Amino acid sequence: ARADLYLAVSRYVELQLTAAGVPADRVVVVPDGVVMPAESAAGGTTVLALDSSDPGKCGRAMREAGALAGINIVFSNDITRDLPRAGVFLYISESEGLGSAALLAMAHGVPVVASRVGGLAEAVEDGVVGLLTGNEPAAIAACLRRVLDDEPLRRTLGSQARRRVEEFFTIGRTAAQTLLAYEKVLG
C-alpha cells in the first residue's frame, strides 16, 4: 500500500494488480527484456521445452501432446545452449506473467507454441510469431504438427518472432522504460 508505483511485466499482470485494488494510475507496464543474440540461432527441427518441476508448467500435457504428434520433446535445463537445434519452442503453462523463456526463444528466431494464457498471449502474437493453443494435449499436438510440417511457416514465424523481440522486448527497451517509470515517481 505504500508503493508509489508498480511495474507490471504485461497488461495481464497490470489487470491482476488493479483487480487486487492497486489504483490504475500507480501501475506502469514494463515488459521484461531478453538479450538479443547477434544472429538467429534457429535452424533445427527439435521441439524444445523448458524443464520444470512446477506442476503449473504442464509437463504431463506436453509429454502427452508429443506422444499424440509422434514427436520427442526435449526438456532443457539450458535453453540458450539448446536453442540452435530447436525448430519450435513449446511453452505450456496454466498461468504466466509474460514468459521470458518464450521471449528468449523468439529472440533466437525460434517460433513458439504457447498456452493462450496471461502474458504469453501478449508476447506470442498468434499466427504471426508462433501459435497459441489451449492446454489440451490434442490441441498442443495439432499446433506442433502444423509448425513442424510446414517449413516456410516455421521460417516466417521464427523471423517475425525475432523482429517482435527486437521491437518490444530487448533489455535496452526494458531499462529505458524502467528509468522513465522511476523518473515519473521521483518527479
Side-chain angles (χ1 to χ4, degrees):
R2 290 191 247 155
D4 291 320
L5 192 68
Y6 295 80
L7 299 182
V9 296
S10 63
R11 288 186 303 274
Y12 169 75
V13 172
E14 176 186 35
L15 290 172
Q16 300 304 305
L17 288 169
T18 56
V22 175
D25 64 343
R26 291 172 56 190
V27 181
V28 174
V29 176
V30 177
D32 284 341
V34 295
V35 174
M36 284 299 300
E39 57 187 42
S40 174
T45 56
T46 299
V47 174
L48 187 67
L50 188 62
D51 189 15
S52 175
S53 60
D54 179 350
K57 296 299 185 205
C58 304
R60 182 177 174 187
M62 288 189 280
R63 284 179 180 82
E64 289 178 24
L68 286 171
I71 298 167
N72 180 37
I73 298 170
V74 174
F75 289 87
S76 173
N77 288 315
D78 186 351
I79 63 169
T80 302
R81 177 196 68 214
D82 294 330
L83 280 169
R85 62 186 184 153
V88 179
F89 184 70
L90 181 61
Y91 200 95
I92 304 300
S93 181
E94 290 177 7
S95 177
E96 201 64 42
L98 184 61
S100 296
L103 294 177
L104 185 60
M106 291 165 56
H108 283 82
V110 177
V112 176
V113 171
S115 297
R116 188 184 312 275
V117 298
L120 275 172
E122 296 172 41
V124 180
E125 192 175 359
D126 191 29
V128 177
V129 304
L131 299 178
L132 294 174
T133 182
N135 288 354
E136 305 80 27
I140 298 165
C143 286
L144 288 172
R145 285 279 29 126
R146 180 175 169 207
V147 176
L148 288 172
D149 293 343
D150 187 339
E151 187 177 338
L153 173 66
R154 190 169 62 249
R155 279 195 309 258
T156 299
L157 293 174
S159 174
Q160 291 292 88
R162 186 169 163 82
R163 280 193 204 102
R164 182 159 173 80
V165 172
E166 285 175 327
E167 187 173 349
F168 296 108
F169 301 107
T170 63
I171 287 180
R173 182 174 169 92
T174 299
Q177 289 179 324
T178 301
L179 182 59
L180 285 174
Y182 286 6
E183 288 172 349
K184 176 182 174 181
V185 170
L186 298 173

